[in-house]
Amino acid sequence: MEKFKIILLCFILLITPGCKKEVRITKLQIEKDNNYPRWLKSGDYQTDQTSGNVYIGRDGRGLKTFLLADDIGKIHHLKIEDDTVFHLSAVYLGDDVRNYLKDFPKGDFEEITYDKYAGSVYLSIEGDGLDYNKFVGIYKIIFKNNDIFADTLTGIVKMNFSPSSLFYKYTRDNIGYEGLAVDRNYFYLGLEGFEDEGVFADSTLIFIADKNSLKIIKEIDTKPYNIFTACGLYSDRDNSIFGIDRNAKKIFHIKFNKDLDVESVEETNLKSAIPSYPLFSYVASLESITIDDENNIYLVDDPWKAYFIPSDDVLKKLDENTVQNFKDFVPVIFKYKLIK
């Protein structure tokens, strides 16, 4: 009888609402593209300190097109032809946008995402200086003629998430939401991480906000899933996000149930090989992730200038162009095939 009671109690605990089962972390299956990694440049044009990257579709010629955001206040279009030919061009900030940003300490553009359901583009900007919370936030950016393939931004509007006390609770000087994704119903806001005297802690937070009210309705602690930082997010479908953990150098994939509890977690560790030199690696700072219409994953490195350039022992084994690319802090783009 006592044994029966114990079994019954365990069953009740299992089915009681609010009791959460432990989520096992499984392996995310990806394959490296043989033509990548590659230097993110076209001719003499290169991006600089690229922190955001999102796939927005195909242009009139059928070329895969991406938006890139640099944390020095620049935005670019990247178009890829025949998988390896890059066409980079500037997205210019119109007068209204430049006037809006003129009082910002810097245009610290950290993440960019595309809402394919509404046709909107959002930009996450970190705050800098003593008044960092005046500037940190998620901003809707508007393209000329509402055409995301256009070369000019004509407007920018700050999104007011609530409660504001929670939205700003963990932001700091140069620490904000480096992960940003959106699906049909929700925004996903990935805090870069918690920093103490220059050292990041072993976990971070992801807020889930209602898309219509902008109210934060869920807070995900990443510690149980061994996720240190959320430096890039992308939603491939409802209740599903992919992310890049810069500090652990891994991709993670989280699925949520209808109550927005974590249902499953997949992850895979990455290697940061030097372009054209698969046997040599460098210190990569991967801060953005996106997926195209053929289930290819793209990651972009935001060169960490203090460690980006390899040692002289490695540099002397590389060709002249590769060495110069390192010295010019040219970002690197990685590509993987997502195996469903």
Side-chain angles (χ1 to χ4, degrees):
M1 188 66 173
E2 193 65 32
K3 184 177 180 182
F4 172 77
K5 288 180 180 178
I6 293 174
I7 294 172
L8 181 61
L9 177 61
C10 290
F11 177 74
I12 292 171
L13 288 172
L14 183 64
I15 65 173
T16 300
C19 292
K20 296 179 182 179
K21 66 177 182 178
E22 183 178 349
V23 177
R24 187 167 63 93
I25 302 173
T26 58
K27 178 76 170 179
L28 177 67
Q29 301 296 325
I30 61 172
E31 289 180 355
K32 178 183 172 297
D33 189 294
N34 290 330
N35 292 319
Y36 287 73
R38 305 184 72 84
W39 297 103
L40 191 54
K41 64 186 300 187
S42 57
D44 293 330
Y45 191 112
Q46 71 170 76
T47 63
D48 188 1
Q49 299 293 287
T50 302
S51 293
N53 172 35
V54 68
Y55 177 69
I56 60 172
R58 296 177 183 259
D59 70 357
R61 296 174 55 201
L63 300 184
K64 293 180 182 179
T65 305
F66 304 75
L67 283 169
L68 307 177
D70 295 350
D71 66 15
I72 59 167
K74 292 185 177 181
I75 297 176
H76 318 263
H77 277 120
L78 165 65
K79 299 185 178 185
I80 300 181
E81 184 176 1
D82 297 329
D83 191 46
T84 59
V85 180
F86 295 165
H87 303 280
L88 282 163
S89 59
V91 175
Y92 301 99
L93 308 186
D95 291 343
D96 288 346
V97 179
R98 284 188 281 107
N99 287 335
Y100 187 95
L101 297 172
K102 64 181 175 58
D103 294 327
F104 282 52
K106 64 176 288 195
D108 202 342
F109 301 170
E110 289 292 345
E111 173 73 303
I112 192 166
T113 199
Y114 174 54
D115 180 351
K116 59 188 175 185
Y117 305 102
S120 301
V121 177
Y122 298 94
L123 184 68
S124 177
I125 302 180
E126 279 186 346
D128 296 271
L130 295 176
D131 296 325
Y132 54 86
N133 274 343
K134 287 176 58 178
F135 311 105
V136 65
I138 309 302
Y139 297 80
K140 182 179 180 179
I141 53 176
I142 301 164
F143 288 76
K144 184 177 180 181
N145 299 323
N146 289 316
D147 177 7
I148 57 174
F149 295 92
D151 66 357
T152 304
L153 291 185
T154 57
I156 182 169
V157 180
K158 189 171 187 178
M159 311 297 288
N160 295 313
F161 288 89
S162 66
S164 58
S165 57
L166 181 57
F167 182 81
Y168 295 110
K169 184 175 181 179
Y170 304 105
T171 56
R172 299 289 184 270
D173 176 18
N174 200 38
I175 295 179
Y177 296 98
E178 291 208 2
L180 175 63
V182 60
D183 65 15
R184 201 184 313 268
N185 302 301
Y186 305 109
F187 281 97
Y188 301 87
L189 313 176
L191 188 73
E192 177 183 0
F194 300 107
E195 187 183 46
D196 183 19
E197 297 182 357
V199 178
F200 277 92
D202 60 356
S203 61
T204 187
L205 294 174
I206 298 173
F207 291 141
I208 303 177
D210 180 84
K211 190 167 157 182
N212 294 318
S213 68
L214 301 183
K215 182 180 180 180
I216 297 170
I217 56 177
K218 196 78 173 184
E219 182 177 321
I220 305 298
D221 179 4
T222 66
K223 189 168 186 176
Y225 318 114
N226 299 320
I227 297 170
F228 288 68
T229 55
C231 292
L233 293 177
Y234 179 80
S235 177
D236 61 321
R237 62 190 64 191
D238 291 347
N239 293 42
S240 171
I241 56 172
F242 284 79
I244 183 69
D245 183 346
R246 177 194 60 206
N247 288 21
K249 204 155 74 173
K250 66 183 179 184
I251 298 173
F252 60 85
H253 178 212
I254 302 176
K255 289 183 180 179
F256 302 93
N257 63 22
K258 62 182 178 59
D259 297 316
L260 299 178
D261 294 319
V262 175
E263 186 174 80
S264 65
V265 178
E266 298 174 297
E267 67 172 27
T268 189
N269 292 100
L270 303 169
K271 295 181 179 179
S272 51
I274 295 174
S276 302
Y277 293 89
L279 299 181
F280 292 95
S281 62
Y282 75 103
V283 178
S285 182
L286 299 169
E287 293 195 353
S288 63
I289 182 169
T290 194
I291 301 176
D292 69 14
D293 55 5
E294 296 179 317
N295 283 328
N296 296 303
I297 299 175
Y298 299 82
L299 310 170
V300 175
D301 176 23
D302 175 3
W304 190 3
K305 293 192 174 183
Y307 300 99
F308 183 66
I309 301 176
S311 67
D312 288 339
D313 287 341
V314 173
L315 289 178
K316 67 184 181 183
K317 299 174 183 176
L318 308 177
D319 66 87
E320 183 179 338
N321 286 336
T322 299
V323 173
Q324 193 60 49
N325 284 334
F326 273 119
K327 292 182 177 180
D328 291 340
F329 300 106
V330 178
V332 178
I333 185 169
F334 296 77
K335 180 183 178 184
Y336 300 89
K337 183 71 174 181
L338 177 62
I339 307 301
K340 290 290 187 181

